[in-house]
Amino acid sequence: MLTQLITKIFTGEAGVFFARMRTVAILYAVMGIFALGLLGFLLGALFIWLASIYGALATALGFAAACLLGLVVLYIVLMIARRPPKDRASDRLQRDIASVASVAAISNLPLLMRSVRRRRSLLLVPVAGIGIFAAVRALSAIRRR
């Protein structure tokens, strides 16, 4: 989707793209409302069915226990996700750098493979680069401690 946005900006059709995205977002919002209604009716039907089998009190206590368990799980996820913004920004930057590097490597792969076929000694360049990268990361990890 990001590549579509970039190409639309360069070709001058960004307004059409944003209008289409706004329409899609509205449709997704309506679908979400219907999905919430569906979920509500399914939970109501499940409650009625279980209440006919186990009784209303036992079913209500079971639903309460399930909701409590869901809250505990969500709280744990929230505590894991609530890291300092600096760490999250650093992680995001690392992912962006990795994606750009992988795209560049994949796009240049045919040229690199032809060069390596001609001169086998070129294989030492990436090995040395990986070694230097690992050494720099190890030193920066030691320095941070």
Side-chain angles (χ1 to χ4, degrees), residues 51-124:
S52 69
I53 296 171
Y54 298 110
L57 181 63
T59 304
L61 289 174
F63 269 67
C67 287
L68 178 66
L69 180 66
L71 282 174
V72 168
V73 168
L74 285 175
Y75 181 74
I76 291 171
V77 169
L78 178 67
M79 294 308 289
I80 291 171
R82 194 190 312 163
R83 295 190 335 222
K86 182 180 176 183
D87 292 343
R88 285 193 304 240
S90 174
D91 291 346
R92 202 174 318 120
L93 179 65
Q94 290 295 329
R95 282 194 307 267
D96 290 347
I97 290 171
S99 66
V100 168
S102 62
V103 167
I106 289 173
S107 64
N108 289 324
L109 195 59
L111 178 66
L112 291 173
M113 292 307 290
R114 273 182 281 175
S115 299
V116 168
R117 279 189 199 140
R118 280 185 258 145
R119 294 180 53 193
R120 299 279 180 195
S121 63
L122 288 176
L123 286 175
L124 295 176

